[in-house]
Amino acid sequence: AQSVAQPEDQVNVAEGNPLTVKCTYSVSGNPYLFWYVQYPNRGLQFLLKYITGDNLVKGSYGFEAEFNKSQTSFQLKKPSALVSDSALYFCAVRDIDRGSTLGRLYFGRGTQLTVWP
Amino acid sequence: DVKVTQSSRYLVKRTGEKVFLECVQDMDHENMFWYRQDPGLGLRLIYFSYDVKMKEKGDIPEGYSVSREKKERFSLILESASTNQTSMYLCASSFPGPEQYFGPGTRLTVT
């Protein structure tokens, strides 16, 4: 079965410090992995994805994510956090080896990131 | 840019009413999805569709139905709204790329 775990409900970091948001996944085959961000009362915005190749992928707004197959993890990172990065972050996985449900994503429960000035 | 629009940002309905939530995408995407989002539960998939007139149940389809008569439009229907359907409803579309693009959401309150 496909699933995603985000072990931290909340992450707090000071502006200018590096941030990390954790995610682990479970799929029966090979994964596509995604990070989304949600600002209050808004829909989800796509940040970045891992399909294949380099384990470090770069996305929007200076975010990047590191894929680790042996640890089945996909951690979101940013070298220097901004107050405006404060939002709800979701990790998602798609099993590329499944049949008829190729299109669906499985989401984690989200991690609330707060960056304080 | 992909644009996914939802018919209402906020809705207030009474218990027992029939409720329609509309979603339209402008990028000729094959796949469309309906989720509900509740605090602490993340996103849960209600229904999805890979083509016109085609639908598949997600994880929580009970109490909901969907309609996809045109490729760009995917409707979520609450046949008889109940208070436990008060939630944020999010529509998304995708394909050919694997990532999904989301609308702004509809916050539905059933009283």
Side-chain angles (χ1 to χ4, degrees):
Chain A
Q2 287 67 237
S3 66
V4 174
Q6 293 181 240
E8 303 156 315
D9 291 336
Q10 187 134 7
V11 170
N12 299 308
V13 64
E15 188 172 35
N17 283 1
L19 70 86
T20 299
V21 183
K22 297 177 182 177
C23 170
T24 59
Y25 67 90
S26 173
V27 295
S28 55
N30 292 305
Y32 287 161
L33 292 155
F34 308 84
W35 277 102
Y36 286 84
V37 61
Q38 185 181 35
Y39 297 99
N41 295 313
R42 303 291 293 274
L44 275 67
Q45 294 179 31
F46 170 70
L47 273 181
L48 51 79
K49 65 185 176 188
Y50 170 82
I51 302 298
T52 188
D54 194 348
N55 289 343
L56 187 66
V57 294
K58 296 188 182 298
S60 306
Y61 314 120
F63 284 92
E64 56 191 24
E66 185 173 12
F67 171 63
N68 187 316
K69 187 172 184 178
S70 63
Q71 297 184 4
T72 62
S73 68
F74 189 54
Q75 293 191 351
L76 182 69
K77 300 182 177 185
K78 189 173 183 182
S80 179
L82 300 172
V83 172
S84 58
D85 293 330
S86 299
L88 186 59
Y89 290 81
F90 289 96
C91 181
V93 67
R94 172 176 154 180
D95 186 343
I96 63 175
D97 296 328
R98 285 289 296 268
S100 65
T101 56
L102 283 176
R104 70 165 293 178
L105 301 183
Y106 294 84
F107 285 85
R109 294 190 174 188
T111 298
Q112 180 66 48
L113 173 67
T114 300
V115 182
W116 39 278
Chain B
D1 282 350
V2 176
K3 189 168 184 181
V4 181
T5 57
Q6 295 183 229
S7 50
S8 304
R9 293 299 306 275
Y10 300 93
L11 269 181
V12 180
K13 296 292 182 181
R14 294 190 180 276
T15 301
E17 279 193 81
K18 191 169 186 176
V19 181
F20 292 86
L21 302 182
E22 304 285 337
C23 175
V24 177
Q25 50 92 5
D26 67 355
M27 286 300 292
D28 203 34
H29 281 173
E30 301 286 339
N31 304 336
M32 296 188 75
F33 307 83
W34 275 107
Y35 297 88
R36 65 176 282 176
Q37 182 182 10
D38 301 288
L41 297 179
L43 274 71
R44 293 182 290 170
L45 183 64
I46 305 172
Y47 269 98
F48 55 111
S49 169
Y50 290 118
D51 202 351
V52 174
K53 297 189 185 297
M54 182 276 178
K55 61 185 179 185
E56 286 199 33
K57 294 180 180 179
D59 299 322
I60 52 164
E62 296 78 17
Y64 303 93
S65 62
V66 291
S67 173
R68 194 165 180 202
E69 297 295 320
K70 293 184 177 181
K71 190 175 186 179
E72 67 270 18
R73 188 179 297 270
F74 192 35
S75 302
L76 180 70
I77 303 156
L78 287 66
E79 296 289 343
S80 178
S82 63
T83 56
N84 62 13
Q85 293 178 310
T86 291
S87 187
M88 170 72 101
Y89 289 88
L90 295 167
C91 175
S93 70
S94 73
F95 196 82
E99 63 271 24
Q100 293 180 13
Y101 293 90
F102 283 80
T106 296
R107 188 168 293 281
L108 173 67
T109 302
V110 182
T111 62

